[in-house]
Amino acid sequence: QQQVKQSPQSLIVQKGGISIINCAYENTAFDYFPWYQQFPGKGPALLIAIRPDVSEKKEGRFTISFNKSAKQFSLHIMDSQPGDSATYFCAAGYGYKLSFGAGTTVTVRA
Amino acid sequence: DAGITQSPRHKVTETGTPVTLRCHQTENHRYMYWYRQDPGHGLRLIHYSYGVKDTDKGEVSDGYSVSRSKTEDFLLTLESATSSQTSVYFCATRTGDSNYGYTFGSGTRLTVV
């Protein structure tokens, strides 16, 4: 049973467009919400993360929005570039464990 | 990935044989994890370690065992490989502080025929 539900499974966006990936969770014990980026043949790499006491965090073209009451969080990729084409995973953690969403494959068309 | 080495990178094995995957880290991180990655499931935790000889089960631990005799090495053993264990296996580490920033290895692609 997936503790973190992620959607969509895949998306295609034009260069310069906005990519939006959504995640939802049930366990209110989660206190850390990172996003990972994975390129083919590589391991996931930490992209950006947020704690539940913050509603938004921005790093460059990547923004996390967090809605604690709805138990939802999302990743926005602004001005999407072909180099952003990758699989993105949301995750939620507490203690020493992280639970991952199923992943979203993003394709940016030039 | 520079501080984590997984071996082998690829392996094909027969059903019923034991298989051991190795994760080696040079960062002296306390916590180490084994995940498997399958389409539609993301990454699922198999086992983790919070110190030498200290390990615990994750959500998909059946058919797997682990050992950690040194800080730098975390071994994952498939006791009797089955086709359902065909997957990409990732090792990850993190420091012992409150930072959840895991570092992942490059993965081992295992095929059980």
Side-chain angles (χ1 to χ4, degrees), chain B residues 35-105:
Chain B
Y35 284 87
R36 59 177 290 175
Q37 183 175 13
D38 304 287
H41 292 279
L43 293 113
R44 291 180 292 174
L45 181 64
I46 305 171
H47 281 281
Y48 65 99
S49 170
Y50 45 96
V52 173
K53 297 193 189 315
D54 293 322
T55 65
D56 205 349
K57 295 178 181 180
E59 57 186 299
V60 290
S61 60
D62 287 350
Y64 302 94
S65 62
V66 291
S67 66
R68 191 170 179 198
S69 58
K70 299 184 289 184
T71 298
E72 57 266 35
D73 289 324
F74 192 32
L75 304 180
L76 175 71
T77 297
L78 287 65
E79 295 144 8
S80 178
T82 68
S83 58
S84 65
Q85 293 176 311
T86 292
S87 186
V88 181
Y89 291 86
F90 286 100
C91 173
T93 72
R94 78 170 178 94
T95 59
D97 60 19
S98 61
N99 178 11
Y100 279 87
Y102 288 26
T103 302
F104 282 84

Side-chain angles (χ1 to χ4, degrees), chain A:
Chain A
Q1 183 180 356
Q2 203 104 33
Q3 293 200 54
V4 181
K5 298 191 188 307
Q6 183 172 348
S7 63
Q9 187 174 1
S10 63
L11 67 89
I12 299 172
V13 63
Q14 293 298 315
K15 180 181 176 182
I18 301 172
S19 303
I20 301 174
I21 306 169
N22 299 299
C23 287
Y25 65 97
E26 288 297 325
N27 189 345
T28 55
F30 289 137
D31 63 358
Y32 182 77
F33 301 88
W35 286 86
Y36 284 80
Q37 180 187 55
Q38 184 182 31
F39 294 106
K42 301 291 187 182
L46 180 64
L47 183 63
I48 186 173
I50 198 168
R51 297 263 182 200
D53 53 348
V54 176
S55 62
E56 185 174 282
K57 183 174 181 180
K58 183 176 180 179
E59 288 185 3
R61 297 183 292 106
F62 300 90
T63 299
I64 300 177
S65 297
F66 187 82
N67 185 329
K68 188 175 181 179
S69 61
K71 292 185 281 187
Q72 296 175 348
F73 57 112
S74 61
L75 177 70
H76 296 229
I77 307 174
M78 313 301 284
D79 186 26
S80 296
Q81 299 298 311
D84 297 332
S85 295
T87 299
Y88 293 82
F89 294 95
C90 62
Y94 73 98
Y96 358 108
K97 292 190 273 187
L98 271 184
S99 295
F100 286 82
T104 298
T105 300
V106 174
T107 303
V108 182
R109 297 243 191 264

